Amino acid sequence: MGEVRKLQKKLRQIENLEIKVSLTPEERFKISTKAELRSRLAELQLQLSGPQQTLGIVGDGKKEKMKRQVEDAPGALPSQTPPASKILKGEEESKAQATPAPTARQRETGGGAEIGRQQERTELAKVSDHLRDVSGGCPESDKEQQLRQEEAEFTSLKASWEKAKFRLRLLEGHNDIVTCVVAVDNLVVSGSRDTTVKVWHVPTATEHKNLGGHTGGVTCLSAPPPEYCKRLAWSLSLSDKERFILSGSADCYVKIWALSIGQCVKSIYTFNAVTALCFVPEEDGYIVTGSDGGKVQAWSWHTFEHCQSINAHQEAVTSIQSQGPLVFSGSAEGGVSVWENQCSDRDPLRLLHHWSGQVTGCRGGPGGRLTLSPRGDRVFLAYGQAWLKILHWRTGTTSRLTNHSSITGVTDCVHQTGGLLIGSCYDLANGASTLNLFSLPQCRYLASLTWPDAPRILCFAAWTTGSGDHRWVSGGRDLIVWEQLPSSGKQRGDVTVKRDSQLDSCFLESEEDTEDDEETDGTHTHTHTHTHTAISQFFRSSFTDSCLMTNRGIADYTIVLILDDAC
């Protein structure tokens, strides 16, 4: 395994070089050795794959066991931490909402799905009978009924995604990799290492505008909400329907573009290479930028004046996202900071929490690339490994979700749309690229999407049409628009929908139950069946209800489920 890990590390370094904003001749030479390293790694994998070891399972040869202990409900924000009064509604409300199917036309499920639902109902019924025996024959609780309903909804959702069809359309025009994408109405806006920002008309898949003006690679984009665009349009004597786009670049500028006229209406010089930015729609609005030196800065949308500058991270800020009044920043060394917008003209950002790479487990180091996507009390993190990390930003606890069944898989970006969590995955060994879909808020695996010669996906955006169909755009070596097709139609889709059996058997695991990331340098994949997953989740929830009904605390009990290879 020693040489395998060395090759993995070299390939990962090369892949990180390929997506840098600029390359030196020495770096270009290193990139030219990728094919040779990939071939050698494939040979070693064939030698290592056998009865004693399989790809996607990392261990020390001992019998794999999994222990689970009932966790206390997440506590409130510590008293010393100021509350974020306007934060999005909590996870409890999210769990109460049914996860929508891809489209209304895809809600019908076939006979095979119905058989699967019947099997899972039978399995859960057995557990329910056992719980009633233990609790003295208590009737089924509302929680148990809710779990049954959620399981049925998930089974239906999974079946609908197994029949999903997409048409792919290539948007040609950039001369280098696409680093960032956003969607605005029927337009897609992309930024590239070739220094340009391009606007595309989605219905016709044609280039609408070419916005040239940056002198360095474009690294990030953001689209202010329409109400904030109206204010700026009024001050510039433009139509109140004008939409604006923010672009950040290695040339140290943030540019604001008016899409209808295709012109830059404002430039902000930041004194640092801009590596991430977002728009914060609070009060008069703020632009928050991150630099290659780890600095986070705030700029007024009303006056475009500099409001605040903070040395927030040790390495480059690679991702910034807003959620209500909160701003989340992630850096190359794996650290994550959570800020609250105080809606003041000076120093609008107040630090709520900072979690280092040692806490998040995202110890990428210089040249690393962390992307994040917040949801309530959780932040989903992608940082170039075979899994997604989930940080509970209030407490600093983490868990992880397997996103690739191979030890050579890497995750580049993570995105949420509706009730879906979408993670890109790329195999360093063979160059295969897929998108994995998980249901929210439970983070249960639904399906994987791929197509022949799929390129590595570095950025992603999503929206839905008026009829509820999905429209996506992915960027990297290629810029591709995804158009969802009716599942009942005769038109054949360009995407292959498949299921990874190893991902299908995985579920969220806390960091206490996993090995250290740097030691494994691969995927810690559970080989237990989906049945065991459903039973363990059902048993936990039902046991919690029993504790509440008997006025005894969960802390009084310890449940240990041991599932070994014999299962």
Side-chain angles (χ1 to χ4, degrees):
M1 287 295 291
E3 186 175 357
V4 169
R5 291 182 178 177
K6 289 180 180 178
L7 289 173
Q8 291 174 20
K9 185 176 181 180
K10 288 182 179 179
L11 283 170
R12 186 170 287 112
Q13 291 172 343
I14 288 175
E15 295 287 352
N16 287 335
L17 287 178
E18 284 191 313
I19 60 178
K20 284 182 60 178
V21 177
S22 59
L23 296 173
T24 66
E26 182 181 358
E27 289 172 338
R28 294 184 183 276
F29 173 76
K30 289 182 179 180
I31 292 173
S32 68
T33 65
K34 181 174 68 173
E36 180 182 350
L37 295 176
R38 182 176 286 171
S39 176
R40 175 57 181 159
L41 179 58
E43 293 177 2
L44 290 176
Q45 286 181 318
L46 288 175
Q47 297 174 9
L48 292 173
S49 60
Q52 301 302 320
Q53 183 172 358
T54 58
L55 288 180
I57 302 176
V58 177
D60 56 1
K62 298 179 181 179
K63 180 178 290 187
E64 295 286 344
K65 291 189 177 181
M66 177 182 65
K67 297 182 179 180
R68 289 291 181 268
Q69 187 171 8
V70 171
E71 300 173 353
D72 294 331
L77 193 68
S79 58
Q80 67 270 20
T81 304
S85 57
K86 298 182 182 179
I87 190 172
L88 297 180
K89 294 182 179 180
E91 291 297 305
E92 291 301 321
E93 294 187 10
S94 299
K95 293 179 181 178
Q97 298 175 355
T99 304
T103 66
R105 295 190 294 270
Q106 295 179 331
R107 290 173 183 170
E108 298 180 0
T109 58
E114 180 61 32
I115 294 174
R117 287 198 297 271
Q118 184 62 39
Q119 291 175 342
E120 295 201 15
R121 291 193 192 104
T122 302
E123 292 158 357
L124 293 176
K126 292 178 181 179
V127 178
S128 179
D129 293 339
H130 174 72
L131 288 173
R132 282 196 292 269
D133 292 340
V134 174
S135 60
C138 295
E140 182 180 66
S141 67
D142 292 340
K143 185 68 173 180
E144 291 171 348
Q145 293 178 359
Q146 181 182 350
L147 286 172
R148 290 177 186 274
Q149 181 180 355
E150 289 178 356
E151 189 66 27
E153 290 172 353
F154 171 77
T155 303
S156 176
L157 180 64
K158 181 172 63 174
S160 67
W161 275 109
E162 289 174 350
K163 298 185 296 182
K165 295 190 295 185
F166 283 86
R167 180 178 67 170
L168 303 183
R169 290 183 292 176
L170 181 65
L171 304 181
E172 298 182 278
H174 283 297
N175 298 321
D176 210 327
I177 64 171
V178 176
T179 58
C180 46
V181 289
V182 294
V184 181
D185 300 328
N186 283 327
L187 301 175
V188 163
V189 184
S190 58
S192 171
R193 194 164 61 182
D194 65 10
T195 74
T196 65
V197 175
K198 291 184 180 291
V199 184
W200 310 85
H201 187 241
V202 174
T204 59
T206 57
E207 184 177 323
H208 186 62
K209 291 281 193 310
N210 180 30
L211 309 180
H214 284 294
T215 58
V218 179
T219 58
C220 45
L221 295 168
S222 184
E227 58 269 26
Y228 288 89
C229 292
K230 286 183 180 180
R231 300 179 193 177
L232 180 57
W234 181 82
S235 67
L236 297 173
S237 299
L238 297 174
S239 169
D240 60 359
K241 295 182 180 180
E242 181 65 74
R243 296 301 301 270
F244 297 93
I245 285 292
L246 313 177
S247 63
S249 169
D251 63 8
C252 306
Y253 276 99
V254 171
K255 291 185 178 292
I256 303 172
W257 307 87
L259 293 184
S260 66
I261 60 177
Q263 294 181 4
C264 176
V265 297
K266 183 68 178 179
S267 290
I268 302 174
Y269 187 69
T270 68
F271 296 94
N272 301 277
V274 181
T275 52
L277 67 78
C278 77
F279 186 87
V280 182
E282 292 291 318
E283 297 294 329
D284 290 335
Y286 294 90
I287 303 171
V288 179
T289 63
S291 77
D292 61 347
K295 186 179 295 184
V296 171
Q297 295 175 286
W299 312 80
S300 169
W301 177 249
H302 179 64
T303 63
F304 300 107
E305 293 181 353
H306 183 243
C307 300
Q308 190 174 12
S309 182
I310 310 166
N311 292 320
H313 297 279
Q314 298 177 2
E315 299 291 340
V317 180
T318 57
S319 184
I320 298 180
Q321 297 289 334
S322 65
Q323 177 183 254
L326 300 179
V327 176
F328 298 80
S329 61
S331 66
E333 85 273 5
V336 173
S337 293
V338 185
W339 314 84
E340 183 177 27
N341 181 12
Q342 302 181 89
C343 300
S344 61
D345 294 335
R346 302 300 304 176
D347 298 335
L349 298 179
R350 176 174 55 179
L351 181 65
L352 293 180
H353 293 283
H354 174 78
W355 305 109
S356 67
Q358 185 174 4
V359 174
T360 65
C362 305
R363 294 181 288 275
R369 184 173 177 269
L370 182 146
T371 60
L372 56 82
S373 180
R375 181 185 178 88
D377 290 344
R378 299 183 294 177
V379 186
F380 298 99
L381 308 176
Y383 66 107
Q385 292 290 349
W387 49 80
L388 291 166
K389 276 293 180 67
I390 303 175
L391 171 67
H392 297 261
W393 61 265
R394 294 178 184 270
T395 62
T397 58
T398 58
S399 54
R400 73 186 190 187
L401 180 66
T402 301
N403 190 51
H404 204 294
S405 58
S406 169
I407 59 177
T408 55
V410 297
T411 303
D412 287 305
C413 59
V414 58
H415 188 85
Q416 299 175 62
T417 175
L420 286 178
L421 176 68
I422 303 175
S424 71
C425 56
Y426 177 77
D427 197 321
L428 296 173
N430 57 29
S433 182
T434 59
L435 283 178
N436 288 329
L437 310 182
F438 301 88
S439 66
L440 288 172
Q442 298 87 358
C443 299
R444 295 178 64 180
Y445 174 65
L446 292 169
S448 297
L449 309 179
T450 188
W451 68 100
D453 302 319
R456 184 176 181 180
I457 296 173
L458 302 177
C459 51
F460 190 87
W463 69 103
T464 54
T465 64
S467 60
D469 292 328
H470 285 273
R471 293 291 184 274
W472 301 340
V473 58
S474 58
R477 289 293 178 189
D478 293 332
L479 181 62
I480 298 173
V481 169
W482 303 53
E483 178 186 3
Q484 189 177 18
L485 302 173
S487 60
S488 58
K490 295 182 179 180
Q491 185 175 355
R492 186 175 180 178
D494 300 323
V495 169
T496 300
V497 181
K498 64 179 184 178
R499 296 190 60 77
D500 188 323
S501 59
Q502 290 183 321
L503 292 185
D504 196 31
S505 63
C506 291
F507 55 94
L508 283 177
E509 49 187 339
S510 65
E511 287 297 273
E512 290 77 8
D513 299 319
T514 60
E515 301 175 28
D516 181 78
D517 296 343
E518 286 188 345
E519 291 180 1
T520 59
D521 194 25
T523 308
H524 185 74
T525 304
H526 294 300
T527 58
H528 313 297
T529 64
H530 178 70
T531 301
H532 289 135
T533 302
I535 291 175
S536 62
Q537 292 173 338
F538 184 82
F539 190 86
R540 283 194 198 180
S541 300
S542 301
F543 192 86
T544 302
D545 288 342
S546 299
C547 294
L548 294 175
M549 287 188 294
T550 57
N551 295 322
R552 298 190 66 180
I554 299 177
D556 295 337
Y557 298 90
T558 298
I559 298 177
V560 177
L561 301 179
I562 300 178
L563 304 177
D564 56 25
D565 293 338
C567 296

